[in-house]
Amino acid sequence: MASFDIPTIDVSPFFRLEENEEAKKKVIVQIREACVNYGFFQIVNHGIPLELLSGTMDMYKTFFASSDEEKLAVPFNNYLKSTKNSSGTYEHLLFRFPFNVFPNIPPHFKQVLEAIVSQFTKLGVVLEGIINECLGLPPDFLANYRNDRSRDSLLGLHYFPAIEDDNTGKTAHEDPGCFTILYQDEVRGLEVHKDDQWIPIAPSKDKLIVNIGDVIQVLSNNKFKSATHRVVRPSETNRYSYAFFYNVHGDKWVEPLPQFTKEIGESPKYRGFVFEEYHQLRIKNRSHPPDRPEDLIHITHYSISN
């Protein structure tokens, strides 16, 4: 068992009516430290009603409990069930924006998803501003860099109970985009990797998990960490979660920023790339995983050896 915990940060100063700059600065310091040391942190007092978070989870559970025929009526690009060749054992329901396809089950699913996406988007804008400040970038730099929401997505996940010789839910991976906001049910299973240890992240109904993605790691030239994480399936019980991916547009060019390279006399640690190219390689990891785990594509695919 790891001897340290993922930081939990109270972000309420960014949601109060009264301004408190000192309290905001404290939050920024805490998030900067978490991004440098973990790439993962939990937030409380984030402004999203618990009723909406738990209600959305209930909707996902109802959908995943429906028949295969009903689930497969959703287009393939939205609903996916893992196969023997998949790198994990789960099913997922994916929506990109703007929403155009919805399952018929459960009733009112569309309205609930639109409500949670609206809340996640507002929270994402706040977190984006905080991360921008943490990196010392010009005001609104990340907002202008990430000025197209069309690659944002919401993913609901159902992990099947573990069997005797396999408890893999999601293999170790990093998220490719800017950052991810995750809500998990009461079942354990999410773990983050640090210092050669896997740290379990205990579920909590009022906390959201935020993890930095590969785009921020590259832009910051490794100043901020895109954390490696995985899901271990518990035995004899199902596990559910849903995640909001705060991404960049597919044609966006991604490379270390000059603020973290030539302006401070450091060499870039990555060659530049178009986000969609990398994103497709990551999708192939899931759909056609290589025989050897070491052949999976990670952001190190673009690393420069100095």
Side-chain angles (χ1 to χ4, degrees):
M1 183 65 65
S3 59
F4 38 77
D5 296 317
I6 297 300
T8 296
I9 300 168
D10 181 352
V11 294
S12 60
F14 286 87
F15 296 94
R16 293 174 185 155
L17 292 177
E18 69 277 8
E19 291 289 326
N20 187 330
E21 293 304 318
E22 286 304 312
K24 287 182 177 181
K25 287 179 182 177
K26 181 180 178 181
V27 173
I28 289 169
V29 168
Q30 291 175 322
I31 290 181
R32 181 186 296 118
E33 290 178 354
C35 292
V36 169
N37 294 317
Y38 294 89
F40 246 75
F41 55 94
Q42 299 182 101
I43 56 174
V44 293
N45 298 321
H46 41 67
I48 301 182
L50 176 59
E51 296 79 11
L52 179 57
L53 290 168
S54 58
T56 303
M57 184 68 77
D58 290 341
M59 288 283 184
Y60 275 118
K61 289 180 178 180
T62 301
F63 170 79
F64 288 127
S66 61
S67 68
D68 284 347
E69 182 181 8
E70 289 167 322
K71 287 183 284 192
L72 291 171
V74 178
F76 174 76
N77 287 340
N78 294 83
Y79 174 74
L80 177 68
K81 190 173 185 178
S82 61
T83 66
K84 289 182 179 179
N85 294 324
S86 301
S87 57
T89 308
Y90 58 91
E91 56 183 343
H92 78 217
L93 183 63
L94 173 70
F95 290 108
R96 288 200 175 95
F97 311 117
F99 287 148
N100 52 10
V101 177
F102 283 92
N104 295 321
I105 296 174
H108 312 299
F109 202 7
K110 179 176 186 290
Q111 294 90 328
V112 173
L113 289 183
E114 288 178 334
I116 194 66
V117 165
S118 175
Q119 292 285 338
F120 275 151
T121 300
K122 292 175 184 175
L123 175 59
V125 169
V126 172
L127 291 171
E128 178 182 71
I130 294 173
I131 293 169
N132 193 97
E133 180 78 11
C134 290
L135 287 169
L137 295 171
D140 297 325
F141 178 90
L142 288 179
N144 294 325
Y145 179 81
R146 207 207 71 89
N147 60 358
D148 187 327
R149 285 191 55 220
S150 63
R151 291 312 297 264
D152 290 354
S153 58
L154 182 69
L155 182 70
L157 284 154
H158 168 213
Y159 298 96
F160 304 110
I163 56 177
E164 188 171 329
D165 61 345
D166 183 13
N167 67 351
T168 302
K170 282 269 190 177
T171 54
H173 67 283
E174 303 79 37
D175 292 347
C178 290
F179 58 85
T180 304
I181 305 170
L182 175 80
Y183 187 67
Q184 54 180 343
D185 71 358
E186 67 281 1
V187 179
R188 289 177 176 266
L190 178 63
E191 299 179 348
V192 62
H193 194 251
K194 178 175 171 57
D195 298 338
D196 298 321
Q197 299 182 71
W198 285 104
I199 309 169
I201 301 182
S204 176
K205 65 180 181 180
D206 61 344
K207 293 179 182 178
L208 291 170
I209 297 160
V210 180
N211 65 276
I212 297 299
D214 291 337
V215 167
I216 296 296
Q217 176 169 302
V218 171
L219 292 178
S220 69
N221 206 34
N222 281 358
K223 297 295 184 295
F224 281 8
K225 185 180 298 183
S226 178
T228 302
H229 52 288
R230 69 181 184 184
V231 174
V232 177
R233 292 183 294 146
S235 60
E236 300 180 358
T237 187
N238 295 280
R239 185 181 185 277
Y240 301 87
S241 64
Y242 56 90
F244 182 76
F245 297 95
Y246 211 71
N247 286 329
V248 294
H249 192 270
D251 63 5
K252 182 64 69 175
W253 184 255
V254 183
E255 67 179 354
L257 295 172
Q259 291 93 327
F260 305 106
T261 53
K262 63 183 181 181
E263 291 183 10
I264 59 173
E266 291 193 10
S267 301
K269 294 179 171 61
Y270 302 92
R271 55 187 172 91
F273 57 92
V274 175
F275 180 71
E276 183 61 23
E277 170 194 281
Y278 176 50
H279 193 243
Q280 289 303 316
L281 290 172
R282 291 294 304 273
I283 290 174
K284 190 175 180 181
N285 278 355
R286 296 198 304 268
S287 61
H288 298 85
D291 293 334
R292 302 188 309 162
E294 58 266 31
D295 292 332
L296 287 167
I297 296 294
H298 299 271
I299 197 60
T300 50
H301 180 71
Y302 298 101
S303 292
I304 296 173
S305 298
N306 295 317

